[in-house]
Amino acid sequence: MALKKVRGNIERMFDKNLTDLVRGIRNSKENEAKYIAQCMEEIKQELRQENIAVKATAVAKLTYLQMLGYDISWAGFNIIEVMSSSKFTYKRIGYLASSQSFHTDTDLLMLTTNMIRKDLNSQNQYDAGVALSALACFISPDLARDLANDIMTLLSSTKPYLRKKAVLMMYKVFLRFPEALRPAFPRLKDKLEDMDCGVQSAAVNVVCELARKNPKNYLSLAPVFFKLMTSSTNNWMLIKIIKLFGALTPLEPRLGKKLIEPLTNLIHRIRTDNRFTKNNSVLSNSPVNGQNKLRDISHFWRCTSAMSLLYECINTVIAVLISISSGMPNHSASIQLCVQKLRILIEDSDQNLKYLGLLAMSKILKTHPKSVQAHKDLIMICLDDKDESIRLRALDLLYGMVSKKNLMEIVKKLMVHMDKAEGTVYRDELLVKIIDICSQDNYHFITSFEWYVSVLVELARVEGMKHGPLLAHQMLDVAVRVKAIRPFAVGQMSLLLNNAHMFMQPSGGSNMANVLYAAAWICGEYANELEKPEETLFSMLTGKVHSLPGHIQAAYVQNIMKVLSIILSKGDIQQSIKVCKRVSDKLAQYVSSGDLEVQERASAALQLISYIHKELENGDADDICTQVAYLFNGELNPVAPKAQRKVQVPEGLDLDQWINEPLQSSSESEDENQSDDHSNFFNLGGFDKKEEEENISSTVEQVEENRKARLYEQENNPNYLKLNSSIDQTCDIPITSIDLPTSLNVSGFVSSDKYIKAKKEKKDKKKSKKKKKGNNHFEEEEEEEIAIEMVVNRDIGEMPDGAEDSDGAIDVQKDINDPHTALDIDLDVPEIERPPPVEEKKHKKKKKEKEKKKKSEKSKKLKKLDKSDQQLIEIKQGYEEALGICTPSKEIVQAEDLSFGKLAMDKYILLEYKIDPKNELSNSATVFFRLTNVGNNCLIKNIEIDVTNSTAIQFLDEKNEPLSWYKLNNNIQCGSLTEFDLSLRVENISIPNTLRGTLTYMAQNFQDDNFHQDKLDWRLSLAVSDMFLKAAPSVPLVELLCNGQLVYKSSIILSGTNFNQVINWFSTKLHLVLVERVGETASLYGSNASSEQLCLLVKSNLNNVSVEAKCTSQTLVNNLMNEIKSTYNL
Amino acid sequence: MIKAILVFNNYGKPRLSKFYQYFNEDMQQQIIKETFQLVSKRDDNVCNFLEGGSLIGGSDYKLIYRHYATLYFVFCVDSSESELGILDLIQVFVETLDKCFENVCELDLIFHVDKIHYILNELVMGGMVLETNMTEILSRIEEQNKLEKQEAGLAGAPSRAVSAMKNMNIPQQLKDMKLPDLPQAIKELKF
């Protein structure tokens, strides 16, 4: 056997190990793939061998190849084999391979469950450690469900290393198996106060991750975190906690108020003059590749930590200040402090701090723009920074920097940047920002729209941009909203049309041609403003129009008609005939367009023109001209983006119902498009080419029909543009979906709006006059006014019933795929019960619920009070009564919801106990003791317990001999606790008993190194209820009552309490089992190990609660009643 | 959460890749490539943060990287991590490597990628930061190495000897030369 092993090893010596593989790959640069293929073959050979060492080497090599991009999932089974090796060396190799190549959907995972469980429970903590590390990478819902219990057990491992890993692992378990969250949460909460700082940090980490997505469920933990924040020195953890508070404050303003002081103190304390040097330059670049030492570099370590802490503090203060809008006296002082500190960061030579400073600044900008504006100079400097990341951040800030005075200057600067910028990404970003800045607040800052239009035109001429649609949208928006600018805009746009060839260069990725769409539409819609309509008309008919995208061609055709109608309306018949002839000649090229929509429109237009032509030649000029003019009569106005959504669905209309049953699955997508149309047409959504195509694909005629019907129906709805011929032909043009906070609404057609219109017109005239004088006055005032009036109008009268103005409500919809959605569990509210199969279980659950409820009530009550630190600690203590762990599987794991009761306490030590009766031995119980070191920085040792035993009640040792002296072997560190248990024998469990004893200990104080020896007396009273077994009745209660065993009766009336309190009290403190509850009546059951049984009937009367008891023993019932009386009086 | 940890050299050759979210191998390579392109074109004196690439993450994710001599250490993280904190973590990682390998250089990463993984596993677990205290990390690594040595014991000696021999600067041809199989007779000897 031994020889066999040696032989294996000798053979193995000459196998290729990982190093050889790497070396081999490096040496075969030319045909790497070939070499690797060869190695793969060898690996496959090796995996077939029995020697686990050979297999492990092979798997290690596979892991390396995986990094190079080779799929190794085929070796999954071999990886599992190596994982299951008993040797740590191989196990680690196996687990590493699995963590790199396995994932949630790997089928093989089901084979690993038991092996992983074995490793988790291994004696060697590193076996469990590697298993946890790997499991964290590939845990699947099944594994999470099956292993949740094992991982939960590890939470209370004696090894901090394992506790730490288990805590982190729990988060992964929660993600895959949300049901585990509720039972595990109390333990997780305990870990926040673990004695090991690493475990604490891990627990904080997990709660932060949980709270990030569902913050409201973790508000109750705020006191614990608050305490940690003020006591911890671990920067990493502090950062996490502070980040967490940032997420919690929006939900609880009081928390914010409480936080602001310690945080600002912290900010003050951290010195910002700790500059840390960048260390990438410190490394010397030696010429030989790969030989450079990554030397241990600098002392900057501590400095950065402080910086990161400072930064996070500022961030959270900002979050706090944003959430508490008012009522803070030194509110502005804090903001000033933050801004000042941020300025220091931004001015720092370190680019990282600069970047973060700007990032945080942008958060302040949203609520306190004034404070940020003071630092405009700095931000303008950052705009010139060589670092793109920083420039982008500075751009974000610019948004808030602009005013009416400096807008032009800033935009000019950005335009200069645009010329200089080499990267298209940055250029695109610049364009978006320019438009953002200018269009904010309904163009609030623009003083001259002529200027703005020329900026837009200039932007359109920049090559290689991908924001054509955005630009086009802006042009349309401005033209529609600002009446006075129309003549100028039309002039500019016709110029664009004349120079359309500029946009037709087939440059990759650019979609600037979209501005032609806007140009065509503006020229068509406001054709009466055109100076030379003929020229514009023919610029749309000539040139390489067929190379334009379909939707632009379609707009061309439509607007050719509009311009034509204007020309006709001039009444020059000869000219008109000439133009008509020329247009119909040229329009032919559109009829042969590849785009269906264009064809459709062009054919219709062509027919119309030939008809007009005929009529004109017949001399019916006037008539036909007016009729044509009707086609495009009326003005288009912006529609609020939400208008469509707000329309109430008419009674009897089911939008989800099929109008025509779908014929086959393939037509389904088409039908979807149709239902989309409903919103698209009127929301006048995007410029998406795809969308356009979709619209066309659903047969044009049908859509046309539907649309007509719908328009007719909605004629009286003011949210819609009124039906009129012009809409019929132009509403295909997506123009006016404008996402502005206050949107303009329809005007002009609703009679009540008439005066507004009149006012507007009057104003326009006034404005244009002013303009002529050279007095640059602003249109936006008028715009604003109208906007406000319109919004009000809509809000009062025209919002459909039941449609709340739920801004953003629709956007908040959670992503169903996000695993965190399932974790949105309110941990303070008891679980909604499903009917459990076992009755006993139900009772336990109920009890637990009640306790939970009580606790949340307690914490709520405390919250109401002004939270001083003291109280925060109190709340924390409330949590210590560990809630039982309810496992998701059927087994009930020690669901003991007994809490520890205080036995004795002084300033060094706290002694607590709880009693658990033993079922099997009629008169025994286990007493759990818990000793907590509550002293200030001291160690407690030499702990002894002396008991005054009596025959009635005594402690026992292992040999069942009376035990009068017990010595604790371990010492208790500061702030930690220890637990031990003793068994107790009671002669008669139907009567209350008392046991006296003393606790002696020695406390070593670290502060002055003094020793302090002390003795504490304690008195343990054992009530009859303490010995009740928490078991449900073996026979139904009715049967029990009828069979005549329960002969002894007693009753009591409790006044000044309510039913729920009593039930709650009975089931938690008296350990009675709730059997049945109907309204305000309940029956409870109790039994002890001497097989005495007891039934309680609790009824609620007007202002008191009556309790009737029936029992097999007179003593028991009497003693219980006495107990109830005495505790009740307390 | 950390979504991925990538280490590659100045030419984009991967030296370590750890993904805490599943991507298939092709995608992983693409991500490494894209990240390299993003990171490598940046000067050394610009900031260490980069708004994420298109392949990994989205607007919530950031690339936080450090460049040491020939290597880039890139962490892809979401907004729950502190930017400077992660920079510190990278530093801890590199310093730990430095302690473990005594003046770590790229070659160490090339030939001991498995060990690098084990070290990383002591810092980060499943995308969450496990430990930031270097002494603690080092002692954990040390203990595990000890465990491994114990297990190897005597049986490991021959293979260690061979690998020592292999590590000597023998010309590659010699080393890649196939050693003849042990005589069949010896193999079939019954013990």
Side-chain angles (χ1 to χ4, degrees):
Chain A
M1 199 52 208
L3 268 172
K4 194 173 177 186
K5 212 169 181 181
V6 171
R7 191 186 63 165
N9 281 334
I10 292 172
E11 277 175 26
R12 219 176 74 207
M13 285 177 356
F14 300 103
D15 281 340
K16 211 179 268 166
N17 64 15
L18 176 58
T19 317
D20 299 329
L21 173 76
V22 176
R23 197 173 283 138
I25 293 174
R26 278 166 70 80
N27 281 330
S28 48
K29 280 205 173 87
E30 294 82 36
N31 42 11
E32 191 181 293
K34 199 178 152 200
Y35 181 80
I36 291 175
Q38 187 192 328
C39 290
M40 277 288 194
E41 279 312 308
E42 283 171 20
I43 289 168
K44 280 178 189 163
Q45 290 287 337
E46 285 163 14
L47 287 176
R48 264 182 231 130
Q49 292 193 31
E50 289 221 341
N51 191 331
I52 190 75
V54 177
K55 270 188 194 158
T57 316
V59 166
K61 286 192 275 185
L62 280 179
T63 314
Y64 182 81
L65 293 177
Q66 194 273 342
M67 182 180 78
L68 300 182
Y70 291 86
D71 178 25
I72 62 162
S73 54
W74 54 268
F77 193 76
N78 302 101
I79 292 173
I80 293 177
E81 267 183 303
V82 177
M83 281 156 84
S84 63
S85 157
S86 58
K87 277 197 177 183
F88 174 72
T89 317
Y90 304 140
K91 196 183 279 299
R92 186 152 76 152
I93 292 171
Y95 272 113
L96 174 63
S98 72
S99 75
Q100 293 294 92
S101 82
F102 288 4
H103 55 94
T104 315
D105 300 325
T106 306
D107 292 333
L108 284 170
L109 283 182
M110 60 187 190
L111 295 176
T112 62
T113 317
N114 281 320
M115 180 185 72
I116 293 175
R117 179 174 290 142
K118 207 180 102 212
D119 284 333
L120 290 181
N121 298 322
S122 159
Q123 285 302 307
N124 180 355
Q125 61 168 331
Y126 293 109
D127 282 351
V130 289
L132 283 171
S133 285
L135 187 60
C137 295
F138 59 70
I139 189 163
S140 66
D142 285 346
L143 279 177
R145 192 193 56 226
D146 296 338
L147 295 172
N149 280 335
D150 301 86
I151 297 163
M152 216 120 86
T153 320
L154 283 182
L155 284 179
S156 37
S157 157
T158 50
K159 291 157 187 138
Y161 180 68
L162 285 186
R163 284 209 301 277
K164 185 168 67 182
K165 286 200 162 191
V167 167
L168 288 186
M169 193 64 223
M170 281 318 290
Y171 175 67
K172 295 276 169 178
V173 172
F174 297 153
L175 285 184
R176 302 271 178 260
F177 181 59
E179 288 89 331
L181 177 59
R182 188 179 288 277
F185 192 66
R187 285 215 200 176
L188 193 61
K189 214 150 60 175
D190 284 348
K191 294 299 139 202
L192 287 174
E193 293 170 286
D194 196 277
M195 49 198 124
D196 184 89
C197 141
V199 182
Q200 267 188 355
S201 170
V204 169
N205 206 341
V206 170
V207 177
C208 285
E209 284 295 335
L210 289 171
R212 203 160 71 93
K213 296 289 166 69
N214 306 306
K216 66 175 189 306
N217 300 335
Y218 300 89
L219 268 177
S220 63
L221 288 182
V224 188
F225 280 115
F226 194 82
K227 190 171 157 246
L228 279 177
M229 188 180 80
T230 43
S231 62
S232 172
T233 52
N234 179 347
N235 272 347
W236 182 267
M237 195 164 87
L238 277 176
I239 289 174
K240 283 273 170 190
I241 294 176
I242 290 169
K243 261 188 176 286
L244 174 71
F245 277 133
L248 291 183
T249 39
L251 299 158
E252 180 57 274
R254 280 172 301 177
L255 180 65
K257 282 180 193 170
K258 194 156 169 50
L259 275 173
I260 206 125
E261 203 195 315
L263 283 180
T264 40
N265 286 344
L266 209 54
I267 295 176
H268 274 299
R269 216 166 57 213
I270 300 166
R271 284 153 46 99
T272 38
D273 51 5
N274 285 333
R275 299 278 157 82
F276 68 91
T277 43
K278 294 275 287 188
N279 44 348
N280 9 14
S281 54
V282 182
L283 291 157
S284 56
N285 275 320
S286 92
V288 188
N289 173 33
Q291 297 289 341
N292 307 355
K293 300 288 177 218
L294 305 175
R295 242 173 264 137
D296 177 4
I297 307 120
S298 64
H299 56 278
F300 88 108
W301 189 241
R302 263 136 248 103
C303 314
T304 13
S305 300
M307 271 309 198
S308 45
L309 189 57
L310 170 74
Y311 173 66
E312 293 306 337
C313 283
I314 295 176
N315 251 339
T316 301
V317 169
I318 294 167
V320 169
L321 291 175
I322 289 169
S323 66
I324 42 175
S325 45
S326 61
M328 282 289 293
N330 53 356
H331 185 112
S332 59
S334 305
I335 273 288
Q336 277 312 315
L337 176 69
C338 285
V339 176
Q340 270 165 24
K341 291 282 175 183
L342 286 180
R343 186 173 175 112
I344 295 173
L345 291 188
I346 296 172
E347 279 173 337
D348 200 289
S349 59
D350 184 65
Q351 296 290 94
N352 290 334
L353 298 183
K354 206 185 275 271
Y355 173 87
L356 293 174
L358 290 169
L359 196 65
M361 204 68 122
S362 66
K363 285 181 197 154
I364 300 185
L365 184 70
K366 284 177 201 134
T367 49
H368 300 82
K370 287 241 170 62
S371 321
V372 182
Q373 268 160 16
H375 302 281
K376 195 181 134 222
D377 53 326
L378 198 61
I379 286 147
M380 294 310 270
I381 294 169
C382 290
L383 219 49
D384 293 323
D385 201 281
K386 59 188 177 306
D387 188 347
E388 194 177 292
S389 296
I390 286 176
R391 284 201 305 259
L392 285 174
R393 288 281 76 81
L395 267 183
D396 282 349
L397 280 169
L398 263 191
Y399 185 81
M401 297 282 112
V402 290
S403 65
K404 283 179 185 170
K405 275 185 207 137
N406 65 13
L407 177 71
M408 285 189 181
E409 176 202 339
I410 288 179
V411 171
K412 194 175 168 209
K413 193 160 177 183
L414 293 181
M415 299 286 277
V416 174
H417 274 289
M418 184 93 103
D419 285 343
K420 283 195 292 190
E422 58 276 8
T424 51
V425 180
Y426 183 58
R427 245 198 260 179
D428 284 332
E429 192 64 26
L430 270 171
L431 185 143
V432 174
K433 277 282 145 19
I434 290 176
I435 290 179
D436 262 6
I437 289 169
C438 293
S439 63
Q440 63 174 312
D441 279 347
N442 270 349
Y443 309 100
H444 182 79
F445 295 114
I446 294 182
T447 52
S448 158
F449 276 91
E450 287 189 17
W451 164 80
Y452 187 45
V453 169
S454 48
V455 166
L456 289 177
V457 172
E458 219 170 295
L459 286 175
R461 292 209 301 262
V462 181
E463 274 172 40
M465 307 283 281
K466 66 174 171 64
H467 285 298
L470 180 70
L471 209 53
H473 184 249
Q474 271 298 300
M475 289 172 172
L476 290 172
D477 196 36
V478 171
V480 172
R481 280 168 185 277
V482 188
K483 215 172 182 178
I485 198 65
R486 283 173 195 166
F488 180 77
V490 166
Q492 293 288 310
M493 293 303 131
S494 61
L495 273 177
L496 279 184
L497 285 180
N498 287 343
N499 295 303
H501 56 89
M502 284 194 326
F503 304 104
M504 290 185 200
Q505 283 142 5
S507 57
S510 170
N511 53 11
M512 266 306 165
N514 275 293
V515 298
L516 291 178
Y517 178 103
W521 189 87
I522 292 171
C523 288
E525 189 61 25
Y526 308 115
N528 45 354
E529 309 277 4
L530 278 172
E531 277 175 25
K532 296 173 192 157
E534 284 89 353
E535 195 181 301
T536 312
L537 181 67
F538 292 118
S539 70
M540 284 194 275
L541 285 163
T542 49
K544 288 187 265 176
V545 281
H546 50 268
S547 67
L548 286 170
H551 68 283
I552 297 175
Q553 289 186 41
Y556 267 34
V557 175
Q558 198 66 38
N559 288 295
I560 286 167
M561 291 306 291
K562 289 189 199 166
V563 179
L564 183 65
S565 84
I566 290 295
I567 294 171
L568 289 179
S569 66
K570 285 184 178 156
D572 184 345
I573 299 171
Q574 285 315 308
Q575 177 72 4
S576 299
I577 293 173
K578 231 161 75 190
V579 171
C580 276
K581 194 166 180 327
R582 223 176 133 192
V583 169
S584 53
D585 283 351
K586 295 279 181 183
L587 211 53
Q589 63 175 327
Y590 285 105
V591 178
S592 58
S593 164
D595 193 284
L596 193 62
E597 175 78 9
V598 179
Q599 273 188 31
E600 183 83 25
R601 289 195 193 187
S603 319
L606 213 53
Q607 280 308 311
L608 192 61
I609 291 171
S610 66
Y611 175 72
I612 295 167
H613 194 191
K614 215 160 69 191
E615 288 292 308
L616 281 173
E617 285 189 332
N618 288 348
D620 238 351
D622 286 347
D623 193 26
I624 189 71
C625 285
T626 32
Q627 276 175 21
V628 170
Y630 273 135
L631 274 176
F632 305 105
N633 202 0
E635 197 183 350
L636 282 175
N637 284 290
V639 178
K642 279 185 182 169
Q644 175 68 39
R645 247 187 277 161
K646 298 294 178 194
V647 178
Q648 206 184 15
V649 180
E651 221 172 298
L653 175 64
D654 182 2
L655 288 175
D656 296 328
Q657 202 185 6
W658 288 111
I659 296 169
N660 297 309
E661 285 295 326
L663 292 173
Q664 67 222 36
S665 58
S666 66
S667 68
E668 220 163 85
S669 60
E670 232 178 58
D671 284 313
E672 268 167 32
N673 291 338
Q674 274 182 30
S675 58
D676 278 351
D677 288 345
H678 189 57
S679 55
N680 280 348
F681 278 116
F682 291 93
N683 214 2
L684 302 175
F687 288 78
D688 246 356
K689 197 180 168 194
K690 204 174 135 206
E691 216 174 271
E692 287 279 336
E693 281 169 1
E694 277 172 1
N695 288 349
I696 296 154
S697 68
S698 52
T699 54
V700 180
E701 295 91 333
Q702 199 184 340
V703 173
E704 197 68 36
E705 249 177 55
N706 285 349
R707 184 202 292 147
K708 270 180 190 156
R710 218 168 29 237
L711 285 180
Y712 185 74
E713 236 180 44
Q714 291 156 344
E715 201 171 4
N716 292 326
N717 191 324
N719 275 326
Y720 285 87
L721 302 176
K722 266 222 170 169
L723 238 197
N724 132 338
S725 54
S726 75
I727 291 168
D728 225 24
Q729 278 150 336
T730 50
C731 57
D732 269 352
I733 306 163
I735 18 156
T736 48
S737 162
I738 302 142
D739 219 340
L740 291 165
T742 48
S743 338
L744 296 181
N745 207 339
V746 189
S747 74
F749 296 101
V750 184
S751 57
S752 67
D753 285 341
K754 262 182 188 163
Y755 83 94
I756 298 172
K757 199 180 168 188
K759 196 169 149 194
K760 192 174 152 193
E761 274 168 358
K762 219 164 82 189
K763 266 197 175 168
D764 276 350
K765 274 175 205 157
K766 227 162 72 188
K767 289 270 159 60
S768 46
K769 265 181 214 159
K770 273 184 187 170
K771 224 175 204 166
K772 272 171 206 160
K773 280 179 205 160
N775 188 353
N776 260 356
H777 227 40
F778 339 117
E779 277 82 355
E780 84 278 343
E781 277 174 17
E782 146 218 341
E783 287 289 323
E784 267 173 69
E785 258 179 51
I786 292 156
I788 292 158
E789 271 180 88
M790 288 306 194
V791 168
V792 172
N793 188 0
R794 185 172 60 137
D795 274 352
I796 296 168
E798 296 170 17
M799 193 67 88
D801 286 344
E804 293 160 33
D805 193 15
S806 51
D807 284 85
I810 293 138
D811 314 320
V812 187
Q813 273 176 356
K814 285 198 176 178
D815 181 8
I816 312 156
N817 293 327
D818 188 352
H820 286 92
T821 325
L823 286 177
D824 190 1
I825 300 167
D826 190 346
L827 296 155
D828 289 333
V829 169
E831 194 175 3
I832 299 159
E833 256 184 71
R834 283 150 295 190
V838 194
E839 226 186 347
E840 187 189 3
K841 203 172 157 190
K842 189 171 166 184
H843 297 314
K844 286 194 172 159
K845 264 192 182 167
K846 275 193 177 163
K847 263 198 245 170
K848 234 180 293 159
E849 272 171 48
K850 273 169 196 154
E851 256 195 29
K852 273 183 198 167
K853 223 181 227 166
K854 227 175 67 192
K855 261 167 218 157
S856 64
E857 267 168 26
K858 192 175 163 188
S859 59
K860 262 181 216 158
K861 260 182 228 160
L862 280 167
K863 253 188 234 160
K864 277 179 196 156
L865 303 166
D866 188 26
K867 285 181 210 158
S868 66
D869 284 5
Q870 204 59 41
Q871 278 157 341
L872 289 169
I873 294 164
E874 260 177 55
I875 297 179
K876 184 214 83 191
Q877 277 172 349
Y879 293 126
E880 249 164 38
E881 318 166 37
L883 297 175
I885 300 302
C886 171
T887 49
S889 56
K890 276 182 190 167
E891 41 182 322
I892 306 156
V893 172
Q894 335 90 327
E896 293 307 345
D897 30 16
L898 284 172
S899 51
F900 280 88
K902 195 166 103 180
L903 207 53
M905 185 185 182
D906 66 5
K907 62 174 177 170
Y908 290 104
I909 198 160
L910 166 71
L911 176 63
E912 292 168 305
Y913 78 107
K914 77 176 181 191
I915 298 164
D916 187 18
K918 288 182 187 168
N919 290 18
E920 63 274 28
L921 293 160
S922 65
N923 47 4
S924 303
T926 312
V927 182
F928 294 92
F929 289 99
R930 180 197 275 171
L931 281 163
T932 315
N933 182 342
V934 292
N936 188 14
N937 201 9
C938 64
L939 177 77
I940 294 179
K941 45 194 183 182
N942 300 351
I943 302 162
E944 288 175 20
I945 285 186
D946 290 292
V947 195
T948 328
N949 282 324
S950 66
T951 46
I953 180 166
Q954 55 190 230
F955 279 120
L956 299 176
D957 62 11
E958 293 92 343
K959 291 168 202 150
N960 274 343
E961 296 294 328
L963 177 124
S964 57
W965 176 76
Y966 182 77
K967 185 176 185 334
L968 211 64
N969 292 322
N970 46 342
N971 301 334
I972 314 176
Q973 302 285 337
C974 178
S976 62
L977 52 87
T978 187
E979 285 178 15
F980 61 97
D981 55 349
L982 297 171
S983 55
L984 183 79
R985 187 167 64 200
V986 189
E987 204 179 46
N988 185 350
I989 53 172
S990 301
I991 56 165
N993 288 291
T994 314
L995 188 68
R996 287 168 199 281
T998 51
L999 168 81
T1000 51
Y1001 65 90
M1002 184 146 78
Q1004 180 184 5
N1005 198 326
F1006 289 123
Q1007 270 160 1
D1008 44 15
D1009 236 7
N1010 276 343
F1011 288 90
H1012 168 89
Q1013 192 154 17
D1014 211 342
K1015 197 168 86 171
L1016 261 177
D1017 288 314
W1018 51 264
R1019 183 169 161 269
L1020 195 158
S1021 31
L1022 189 75
V1024 284
S1025 66
D1026 282 330
M1027 297 303 284
F1028 279 148
L1029 307 169
K1030 277 127 257 157
S1034 48
V1035 289
L1037 213 58
V1038 190
E1039 219 171 283
L1040 198 67
L1041 287 163
C1042 293
N1043 67 11
Q1045 281 183 347
L1046 310 171
V1047 283
Y1048 302 103
K1049 291 180 195 169
S1050 181
S1051 65
I1052 189 174
I1053 289 181
L1054 305 167
S1055 52
T1057 180
N1058 73 41
F1059 179 79
N1060 285 333
Q1061 274 173 357
V1062 172
I1063 293 294
N1064 195 10
W1065 168 39
F1066 280 9
S1067 50
T1068 56
K1069 293 281 186 266
L1070 300 183
H1071 317 299
L1072 292 165
V1073 177
L1074 182 72
V1075 179
E1076 201 180 6
R1077 177 179 174 169
V1078 183
E1080 297 274 77
T1081 312
S1083 53
L1084 295 106
Y1085 172 81
S1087 63
N1088 67 12
S1090 319
S1091 57
E1092 270 156 350
Q1093 303 185 63
L1094 175 107
C1095 284
L1096 239 63
L1097 183 65
V1098 184
K1099 273 194 277 192
S1100 171
N1101 296 333
L1102 262 177
N1103 15 344
N1104 54 35
V1105 180
S1106 75
V1107 181
E1108 279 177 55
K1110 278 185 162 186
C1111 184
T1112 50
S1113 150
Q1114 179 77 55
T1115 17
L1116 182 63
V1117 74
N1118 287 349
N1119 284 322
L1120 184 72
M1121 283 304 164
N1122 287 337
E1123 199 193 327
I1124 292 175
K1125 258 182 249 170
S1126 60
T1127 25
Y1128 182 68
N1129 285 339
L1130 287 174
Chain B
M1 288 277 277
I2 300 169
K3 207 167 193 179
I5 295 172
L6 307 172
V7 180
F8 42 74
N9 72 0
N10 287 350
Y11 304 98
K13 279 247 179 222
R15 293 301 176 215
L16 175 96
S17 68
K18 183 93 200 168
F19 290 86
Y20 295 105
Q21 183 190 345
Y22 174 69
F23 292 102
N24 65 32
E25 275 76 11
D26 291 340
M27 196 63 187
Q28 289 186 0
Q29 292 304 308
Q30 248 176 296
I31 290 172
I32 295 173
K33 212 166 146 191
E34 193 201 55
T35 316
F36 169 70
Q37 273 159 5
L38 281 173
V39 165
S40 62
K41 67 175 180 215
R42 292 173 64 83
D43 286 344
D44 265 356
N45 51 355
V46 298
C47 76
N48 301 48
F49 314 118
L50 206 60
E51 260 117 285
S54 56
L55 291 176
I56 192 163
S59 62
D60 195 35
Y61 284 84
K62 269 204 186 80
L63 296 175
I64 298 177
Y65 73 98
R66 270 183 186 278
H67 187 197
Y68 294 93
T70 57
L71 291 176
Y72 285 96
F73 287 72
V74 187
F75 281 45
C76 174
V77 303
D78 69 11
S79 62
S80 75
E81 301 292 345
S82 143
E83 289 88 347
L84 291 172
I86 293 293
L87 274 184
D88 289 359
L89 188 71
I90 300 179
Q91 182 68 15
V92 172
F93 184 34
V94 175
E95 283 187 36
T96 313
L97 293 181
D98 200 54
K99 289 262 162 59
C100 292
F101 289 99
E102 287 165 16
N103 285 338
V104 66
C105 68
E106 192 184 338
L107 279 177
D108 291 314
L109 275 88
I110 295 172
F111 284 106
H112 303 285
V113 68
D114 48 346
K115 295 203 176 69
I116 312 286
H117 268 294
Y118 300 145
I119 293 167
L120 184 61
N121 280 349
E122 296 304 319
L123 271 93
V124 181
M125 185 180 129
M128 284 183 291
V129 179
L130 179 68
E131 184 61 67
T132 49
N133 179 349
M134 201 152 62
T135 348
E136 165 77 10
I137 295 168
L138 285 171
S139 73
R140 295 299 175 191
I141 294 164
E142 194 49 44
E143 275 177 57
Q144 292 181 55
N145 288 344
K146 221 182 273 169
L147 207 63
E148 202 172 289
K149 261 185 204 142
Q150 267 169 20
E151 278 181 356
L154 270 181
S159 65
R160 276 208 298 278
V162 169
S163 63
M165 188 186 77
K166 281 179 186 166
N167 284 336
M168 285 190 299
N169 248 347
I170 312 168
Q172 193 60 33
Q173 298 94 317
L174 186 66
K175 267 200 312 176
D176 275 0
M177 194 172 67
K178 283 260 175 187
L179 286 165
D181 284 335
L182 285 177
Q184 201 60 28
I186 299 178
K187 269 195 166 176
E188 278 167 11
L189 265 180
K190 293 268 188 292
F191 291 107

